[in-house]
Amino acid sequence: MDGLLRSGCIGGAIVLVVAGCTRDDGVSQNSEPYAGIDASETLTLLGTEPFWDFEISGETATYTTPENLDGTTIAVSRFAGNNGLGFSGEIDGDALQIAVTPGDCSDGMSDRTYPFTATVSLGDRTLFGCGYTDSQSFGGEEAP
């Protein structure tokens, strides 16, 4: 009865049971929200060509580029999906959507390996990069 809702009556109380979901190919789907990055951690995302950086702490994100080294700080909303996190906000009138998922990532410019991949939609631009947190750092040289 995978993926079905079942109801019954036990001692006068109505009981609903939701069975686990399984795709047609037999792979189980996890319906639990992603918990791999604690909300209290600082998440750093970075990309190259063009160079950019987001530092997300709580409900605040700071976006920096070589043209704006001081950065632009905005409010963001956090969403835990099935296999990662999403953040949304607005920078200078442009919609911001960030998706962060676990997986080895290379910035393409160093010998570092990061534990997260990032996809950023900012207005009509899409940026790709890597990420790390306070407790899940990158591997490789600190300052290449």
Side-chain angles (χ1 to χ4, degrees), residues 32-33 94 134:
E32 295 296 317
D94 288 331
D134 300 334

Side-chain angles (χ1 to χ4, degrees), residues 37 42-56 61-66 87 96 98-101 103-121 126-134 136-144:
I37 300 173
T42 297
L43 174 62
T44 301
L45 307 174
L46 52 94
T48 59
E49 298 183 34
F51 288 98
W52 57 269
D53 181 273
F54 276 95
E55 185 171 289
I56 303 171
T62 301
Y63 172 56
T64 59
T65 64
F87 296 90
L96 170 69
I98 300 173
V100 179
T101 55
D104 288 345
C105 184
S106 170
D107 61 16
M109 302 224 20
S110 70
D111 290 329
R112 295 180 182 166
T113 301
Y114 298 87
F116 302 101
T117 62
T119 303
V120 177
S121 173
T126 301
L127 308 170
F128 300 97
C130 302
Y132 63 97
T133 69
D134 300 334
Q136 300 174 72
S137 190
F138 54 86
E141 295 182 34
E142 181 67 31

Side-chain angles (χ1 to χ4, degrees), residues 9-102:
C9 187
I10 298 175
I14 295 176
V15 178
L16 294 176
V17 177
V18 179
C21 296
T22 304
R23 297 186 327 209
D24 290 340
D25 60 5
V27 176
S28 178
Q29 294 179 351
N30 182 3
S31 61
E32 295 296 317
Y34 180 74
I37 300 173
D38 192 79
S40 65
E41 291 189 84
T42 297
L43 174 62
T44 301
L45 307 174
L46 52 94
T48 59
E49 298 183 34
F51 288 98
W52 57 269
D53 181 273
F54 276 95
E55 185 171 289
I56 303 171
S57 183
E59 296 180 353
T60 303
T62 301
Y63 172 56
T64 59
T65 64
E67 297 79 30
N68 181 6
L69 294 176
D70 291 333
T72 301
T73 301
I74 62 160
V76 292
S77 298
R78 175 186 169 118
F79 173 80
N82 286 345
N83 190 34
L85 293 179
F87 296 90
S88 61
E90 187 176 297
I91 297 178
D92 297 329
D94 288 331
L96 170 69
Q97 298 291 322
I98 300 173
V100 179
T101 55

